[in-house]
Amino acid sequence: MMIVSALKFKQGDTAIYCFAVPGNSLTKIADLSRVKRSNKDQLEGFQRKEIQQHVKQITDYLDKGPSLFPNAIILALAPQVRFVKSRGPKGEETVLGIDSGRLHLPAKEGAEKVAWIVDGQQRSLALAKSNHGELLVPVIAFESGSLDTQRQQFILVNRAKPLSQRLVNELLPETDDAFLPRDLAVNKIPSELCNLLHKDRKSPFFGRVNRTSAKLERADAINDSAIIQMIRDRINLPTGALTHFKGFSSSGADTNSMHKVLVAYWSAVAETFPEAWDLSPERSRLTHSVGIRAMGSLMDRMSSRISLKDKDLKAAFIRELKSISSLCAWTTGHWPLINAPWNSIEMTSRGLTQLSSVINTLYMQSELN
């Protein structure tokens, strides 16, 4: 049991504690909850993998000692922690709403801990390894047994840091967006749909989406960022194929219809270009990020010509794709109109504009014939 002097106050219904502990004691009370997938493909945790170089730099700084290390570690505490308020009259300078007392934190070696590190993973690891790990470090902790709340705070706290956008995108579907800034919330639905495409056995993306929590061994895995951005564009662009399903005012987004259209379109793409679809991004520009994004733009144009309520939507998309099926240089040859080698177009702004323009122009020319 670790007992520390602490200040306690509340923000809404959440208890907040401020205290200090020796840096090398943090790992006795707190776990690192790294993001991963369970056996049932449920997202667990939220942390990044240890950045060894960053940890070493902090450790080297601490080892030079004595050090100034005022950056607070942020913890999420399980409800079983116990706070005992100090007795006696409050002093005149006491701030209303703040109580002083002693916080009881169960400390266990190797067992499940009573806290989780929301911010300060690298610093905590460095303090545990440092020769001056006894240095007192400030801690801000909030009491919550909700993993969802912990994820919210992890995302918000790390926004100003070089947090992987792929990690943020994967966490968003598991997070209540009520308190998320708009620029983060807009990626929640695309990321949810990306998850569905990966899990749905009827989806051509089934088992092929590479995510931060579960890096696939298969060579034909497709980057989740390309899929998420492709979906986001279809939802948010004025002429996007999915924009009619995003909902307005009090009505929510119709993600079921979005998923249905995505599966139909990309199943048609896979059936129209079977060889290119089965290859890895290194051997096919169709499964490459630039191909996913460019074919997404073609989805918008095709959706303006057919009814998305068609009973056999996949067949309708296949009929539209047939006109360009022999013209695309996904795996060999040169792209028409620009005479560029098949593998010379990269996932850059210029490359995406170039490939999108070629594909859409080929399709428009077929419309005129």
Side-chain angles (χ1 to χ4, degrees):
M1 178 69 68
M2 182 182 296
I3 302 175
V4 297
S5 297
L7 297 177
K8 177 185 179 181
F9 60 94
K10 284 196 171 185
Q11 291 183 340
D13 294 328
T14 303
I16 311 291
Y17 301 96
C18 305
F19 55 93
V21 296
N24 54 13
S25 297
L26 281 166
T27 54
K28 295 180 181 178
I29 59 172
D31 276 325
L32 300 173
S33 182
R34 292 193 175 93
V35 65
K36 60 182 182 297
R37 291 276 171 183
S38 67
N39 293 333
K40 295 182 179 180
D41 202 35
Q42 297 296 314
L43 186 67
E44 297 177 346
F46 46 83
Q47 283 283 10
R48 291 168 281 187
K49 292 183 179 179
E50 177 183 343
I51 304 175
Q52 294 182 352
Q53 184 59 33
H54 187 197
V55 173
K56 184 178 184 303
Q57 290 173 349
I58 300 174
T59 304
D60 290 344
Y61 167 75
L62 291 169
D63 284 347
K64 292 178 182 178
S67 304
L68 177 63
F69 204 70
N71 307 72
I73 306 294
I74 299 180
L75 302 181
L77 297 176
Q80 61 260 40
V81 299
R82 186 165 62 93
F83 179 78
V84 180
K85 183 179 175 181
S86 298
R87 297 181 179 180
K90 294 183 178 180
E92 293 182 359
E93 300 300 322
T94 300
V95 177
L96 184 66
I98 299 179
D99 294 320
S100 62
R102 308 184 80 186
L103 184 63
H104 295 243
L105 302 164
K108 303 175 182 178
E109 293 283 359
E112 184 175 343
K113 306 299 194 302
V114 74
W116 300 269
I117 298 175
V118 173
D119 183 52
Q121 173 188 1
Q122 319 302 335
R123 281 168 281 151
S124 300
L125 291 169
L127 286 160
K129 296 177 180 180
S130 171
N131 295 328
H132 295 282
E134 73 284 353
L135 181 72
L136 287 174
V137 294
V139 176
I140 304 295
F142 62 93
E143 189 176 319
S144 173
S146 166
L147 186 58
D148 184 62
T149 300
Q150 296 162 25
R151 287 183 180 134
Q152 286 178 13
Q153 293 304 310
F154 174 71
I155 292 172
L156 295 174
V157 165
N158 285 281
R159 286 194 70 202
K161 301 181 181 182
L163 189 63
S164 164
Q165 185 60 44
R166 290 183 64 199
L167 173 57
V168 171
N169 286 339
E170 189 167 3
L171 290 170
L172 287 175
E174 315 290 336
T175 306
D176 185 354
D177 60 359
F179 302 103
L180 290 176
R182 177 176 291 183
D183 63 326
L184 290 179
V186 293
N187 262 11
K188 180 170 181 176
I189 290 176
S191 192
E192 286 177 341
L193 289 167
C194 181
N195 281 345
L196 289 174
L197 291 173
H198 178 63
K199 296 176 182 179
D200 184 359
R201 291 184 176 275
K202 296 181 180 179
S203 162
F205 292 99
F206 174 66
R208 288 185 67 177
V209 181
N210 228 342
R211 308 225 69 176
T212 301
S213 63
K215 185 171 178 59
L216 304 179
E217 298 299 329
R218 53 190 295 175
D220 63 348
I222 299 172
N223 192 302
D224 60 348
S225 296
I227 299 172
I228 290 170
Q229 189 59 53
M230 177 272 295
I231 297 172
R232 182 177 176 178
D233 289 343
R234 306 294 69 78
I235 296 173
N236 294 325
L237 291 177
T239 57
L242 305 177
T243 190
H244 303 295
F245 303 118
K246 69 180 180 181
F248 299 95
S249 64
S250 60
S251 59
D254 184 358
T255 54
N256 288 333
S257 292
M258 290 183 185
H259 178 241
K260 176 184 175 182
V261 173
L262 287 166
V263 170
Y265 176 73
W266 285 101
S267 294
V269 170
E271 191 166 319
T272 303
F273 307 102
E275 180 183 352
W277 186 257
D278 289 339
L279 293 176
S280 68
E282 288 73 27
R283 299 175 61 193
S284 168
R285 273 306 179 264
L286 179 57
T287 54
H288 192 279
S289 293
V290 71
I292 297 294
R293 298 279 302 279
M295 286 301 286
S297 70
L298 182 61
M299 179 184 178
D300 295 340
R301 185 171 294 276
M302 287 187 174
S303 297
S304 67
R305 284 175 51 88
I306 63 178
S307 171
L308 296 183
K309 296 181 180 180
D310 194 308
K311 290 184 178 180
D312 195 347
L313 189 55
K314 173 185 170 182
F317 278 127
I318 289 176
R319 287 194 297 270
E320 297 296 311
L321 288 165
K322 185 177 180 180
S323 62
I324 64 169
S325 60
S326 62
L327 303 176
C328 296
W330 295 122
T331 60
T332 59
H334 289 66
W335 283 97
L337 306 180
I338 58 173
N339 196 34
W342 73 272
N343 58 352
S344 65
I345 302 178
E346 298 294 340
M347 185 55 250
T348 61
S349 179
R350 180 176 181 274
L352 177 58
T353 300
Q354 191 177 41
L355 185 57
S356 298
S357 178
V358 169
I359 293 173
N360 279 276
T361 300
L362 291 173
Y363 178 65
M364 286 189 292
Q365 288 177 347
S366 73
E367 288 181 306
L368 300 175
N369 297 331

